[in-house]
Amino acid sequence: MSENGINSSKAPEPVGLYPHARRVGDLLFLSGVGPRERGTKKIPGVELNEKGEIVSYDIETQCRSVFQNVRWILEDAGSSWDKIVDVTVFLTNMKDDFPIYNRLWAEYFSENPPCRTTLEINCLPTPIGIELKVIATI
């Protein structure tokens, strides 16, 4: 069984020692993907104060950015959006953000949606409101 770590040249740099994805056979396992932008500390849809704390955020902007980052990683790894088979979604505010996220999910996965699990968590490693863990085929 072949195991290859993959790093995208377009997606944001990982915040720790891990690849964007790892290929095992015909499966691609993505590490957690958030909305950050590559080469900057900017987080689309997030306004921070001088202490780095979230002042306000727009979950729709974050969702769209996360989806784009996932797409870039998949493409750089030789896969594609339509080959996603399972997604674990981490939200920091289920009550307010799930309806918006769910609407966008239906927009981005209008045909043949993958399996999905959505969890509310206390926080993420960076000041973001959403992160996706994705499994796809190659």
Side-chain angles (χ1 to χ4, degrees), residues 18-67:
Y18 55 86
H20 282 128
R22 180 161 301 281
R23 180 179 179 167
V24 179
D26 288 337
L27 292 176
L28 187 64
F29 298 86
L30 274 63
S31 296
V33 180
R36 292 180 305 109
E37 290 184 350
R38 184 170 190 85
T40 179
K41 297 213 183 270
K42 181 176 187 236
I43 303 170
V46 177
E47 180 186 344
L48 302 174
N49 65 18
E50 62 282 344
K51 295 179 185 176
E53 301 164 331
I54 298 172
V55 173
S56 66
Y57 71 95
D58 176 348
I59 195 64
E60 181 165 345
T61 300
Q62 285 190 62
C63 288
R64 291 185 189 280
S65 184
V66 168
F67 290 162

Side-chain angles (χ1 to χ4, degrees), residues 65-126:
S65 184
V66 168
F67 290 162
Q68 180 59 63
N69 288 338
V70 166
R71 188 180 303 270
W72 280 331
I73 294 168
L74 291 170
E75 290 171 357
D76 283 352
S79 187
S80 60
W81 187 259
D82 62 322
K83 293 183 178 182
I84 294 173
V85 294
D86 188 58
V87 179
T88 303
V89 183
F90 301 95
L91 294 174
T92 60
N93 185 341
M94 185 76 74
K95 182 180 177 211
D96 293 338
D97 297 344
F98 183 80
I100 297 164
Y101 172 77
N102 205 38
R103 175 178 52 80
L104 293 171
W105 176 274
E107 175 185 324
Y108 279 77
F109 291 106
S110 61
E111 302 204 9
N112 197 27
C115 294
R116 179 182 83 181
T117 301
T118 306
L119 306 164
E120 180 178 48
I121 60 171
N122 181 4
C123 66
L124 289 158
T126 58

